[in-house]
Amino acid sequence: MLGIIAGTGFYEMKMLQNAKVEHIATAYGNAAVYLGEYLGKKLAFLPRHGKGHSIPPHLVNYRANIEALNSLGVKRILAINAVGSLKYELPPGSLVLINDFLDFTYGREHTYFTGGEAGVGHVSMCEPYCKAWQKEILSAAKNIGIELFQNGVYVATQGPRFESPAEIKMFAMLGGTVVGMTGVPEVCLAAEKGLCYGAVSVVTNLGSGMTDNIAHGEVVGVMNKANAALEILLEELAANYKAERNCTCGSDSRCV
Ligand code: HPA
């Protein structure tokens, strides 16, 4: 099954038919997931900030969310994130396919391998974002004429504050493409569960210091405009979704 996790400015999937919300209890807490279908294919939709955007990025229960999708039989996740851009060539409205990340978050529950009965594990991050799934996302975007910038490096910050201009300069120097608050540990937890994870970032603003002040309202406004394109992309992905996976995400030897 295909799972969609979306964030700021993307709170409902209009394409979801026969949708009903399920409150899934996991060992890590509860997650609210909308289950439905599109052209007869089952879909799970999880708005990570909860109803009415009530959960800030640092308090999202990433472990419960990923475990809930896993327990429902989701094998591939498409994550959608609102981000700031670290490059003038990627102005607001740009869509970026993410290929790697830099993690500046702290204090988040970021692993299932907590020792003791839960075990000790060290998941490989050689390909944090499934290459095969990225290809499918890219070809879906091409089919419908949506431009996706490739090889994006997602800089994950703790939030909920925006960055300082010096931080933005540093992230750009380190090789970041976009900056957001929710991409990590989501991607790592999906890897620990053996799921294919892909992410499309929507640039809602230039990074701090590259533009005038950033406001949350502006972020939501740009997301609202991008939603139509995202919905078409999701429809294309869902319509062509196949259960078989030709990748190493579910195996012990990722990327081999
Ligand atoms: N920084 C961090 N997260 C964001 C931004 C930003 O500029 N825009 C949207 N989400």
Side-chain angles (χ1 to χ4, degrees):
M1 195 193 335
L2 171 60
I4 312 292
I5 306 181
T8 301
F10 194 103
Y11 306 112
E12 67 168 324
M13 271 177 80
K14 294 191 195 81
M15 63 190 264
L16 213 56
Q17 294 153 350
N18 306 321
K20 61 175 174 38
V21 64
E22 294 250 354
H23 296 276
I24 315 277
T26 78
Y28 312 96
N30 297 337
V33 183
Y34 293 81
L35 288 172
E37 38 188 69
Y38 180 72
L39 302 181
K41 297 195 185 176
K42 283 190 177 154
L43 283 177
F45 172 60
L46 200 162
R48 64 168 84 74
H49 294 294
K51 229 178 168 209
H53 198 119
S54 53
I55 312 169
H58 62 295
L59 296 180
V60 169
N61 193 338
Y62 296 97
R63 292 197 303 183
N65 289 351
I66 294 295
E67 175 52 19
L69 293 178
N70 185 44
S71 72
L72 288 166
V74 166
K75 294 291 177 212
R76 292 196 192 90
I77 293 172
L78 177 69
I80 297 169
N81 310 80
V83 294
S85 173
L86 300 172
K87 293 183 184 295
Y88 288 106
E89 311 89 88
L90 294 174
S94 307
L95 301 181
V96 184
L97 184 62
I98 303 300
N99 181 51
D100 209 339
F101 69 80
L102 290 164
D103 181 16
F104 287 88
T105 65
Y106 48 86
R108 300 182 180 193
E109 298 287 4
H110 64 289
T111 181
Y112 295 108
F113 295 120
T114 51
E117 271 182 29
V120 174
H122 306 280
V123 75
S124 169
M125 283 290 114
C126 54
E127 278 174 13
Y129 303 83
C130 174
K131 283 265 185 288
W133 185 214
Q134 278 189 64
K135 263 195 198 158
E136 286 185 44
I137 297 166
L138 198 61
S139 87
K142 277 202 181 127
N143 286 348
I144 51 170
I146 287 179
E147 190 174 11
L148 270 189
F149 292 88
Q150 295 179 59
N151 296 318
V153 176
Y154 183 104
V155 181
T157 61
Q158 178 67 356
R161 67 167 176 83
F162 288 115
E163 301 71 41
S164 70
E167 286 172 328
I168 289 294
K169 268 190 203 150
M170 175 184 75
F171 294 150
M173 282 166 66
L174 291 177
T177 312
V178 293
V179 57
M181 304 175 193
T182 51
V184 182
E186 204 171 82
V187 57
C188 313
L189 293 164
E192 287 189 356
K193 291 290 174 189
L195 309 181
C196 300
Y197 185 94
V200 171
S201 287
V202 182
V203 173
T204 56
N205 55 278
L206 291 170
S208 189
M210 297 169 70
T211 178
D212 296 340
N213 196 26
I214 303 164
H216 183 69
E218 176 193 344
V219 171
V220 175
V222 177
M223 277 305 292
N224 286 342
K225 283 193 199 138
N227 280 352
L230 290 172
E231 282 263 351
I232 300 169
L233 178 62
L234 294 177
E235 284 174 11
E236 181 70 13
L237 271 176
N240 295 306
Y241 188 79
K242 292 183 196 69
E244 313 84 64
R245 296 197 283 170
N246 297 313
C247 61
T248 53
C249 295
S251 79
D252 288 342
S253 50
R254 285 171 64 84
C255 324
V256 177

